[in-house]
Amino acid sequence: MTTSIRIGSGRNELLQKVEALSGQHLANCYQCGTCAAGCPFHQAMDLLPDALIQHLRLGLPGILERQTFWICAGCDTCSDRCPRGLDIARIMEALRQICLREGGDHPALTQLERADLGALPPIALVASMRRNSG
Ligand code: SF4
Ligand code: SF4
């Protein structure tokens, strides 16, 4: 799946979408690496959380083809530890939503057909339900 992204000056479309869905302002990240250091699944990721944020900010290509946000279990360790108060788990969730909804609106799982629910990766369901239930 590809997303049109402007590279260069100013904000890019994917960054804007992620910030709108997650409610996080990625410019607040100062790249300390605390999120990556504490992530229990970092060894399985093809782009560490801090690098993912940097790629998003720079508008680098191929972000939606990465596996990192599918590996993310939404455990909130990174979000709890971020010294800048960023909820990285929400950023991961936003990327999953963008992939699953092909850039559409915030998903409402209760409005999905049963067949569509069954086709979703389990982490997409679990993380989204956690986000919307508390
Ligand atoms: S812990 Fe927060 S400030 Fe540090 S790299 Fe991760 S997102 Fe950025
Ligand atoms: S929420 Fe995701 S990225 Fe953050 S520590 Fe947990 S598994 Fe890692």
Side-chain angles (χ1 to χ4, degrees):
M1 188 177 301
T2 59
T3 294
S4 174
I5 302 171
R6 289 195 306 273
I7 297 176
S9 62
R11 295 160 62 80
N12 62 62
E13 292 175 19
L14 182 56
L15 175 62
Q16 287 180 312
K17 204 170 292 183
V18 167
E19 290 192 333
L21 286 170
S22 69
Q24 306 303 301
H25 187 44
L26 273 60
N28 288 338
C29 170
Y30 60 12
Q31 290 288 292
C32 67
T34 302
C35 50
C39 175
F41 298 100
H42 73 276
Q43 288 182 317
M45 292 176 170
D46 56 4
L47 197 61
L48 293 175
D50 55 332
L52 181 69
I53 289 172
Q54 187 69 339
H55 280 226
L56 279 165
R57 296 196 306 193
L58 294 173
L60 298 182
I63 295 172
L64 295 181
E65 284 72 46
R66 296 286 186 167
Q67 294 301 305
T68 289
F69 49 89
W70 295 114
I71 298 295
C72 168
C75 69
D76 283 341
T77 303
C78 52
S79 306
D80 290 342
R81 296 179 178 177
C82 175
R84 298 289 288 165
L86 276 166
D87 193 334
I88 300 105
R90 281 191 180 274
I91 295 169
M92 300 292 184
E93 173 64 11
L95 287 163
R96 290 192 289 266
Q97 290 174 18
I98 289 167
C99 284
L100 293 171
R101 303 280 293 192
E102 296 181 337
D105 294 335
H106 193 285
L109 292 180
T110 54
Q111 295 173 9
L112 291 179
E113 299 292 334
R114 182 172 293 273
D116 293 332
L117 286 172
L120 291 176
I123 183 57
L125 286 173
V126 172
S128 185
M129 290 302 288
R130 287 184 64 226
R131 292 285 160 203
N132 295 316
S133 62

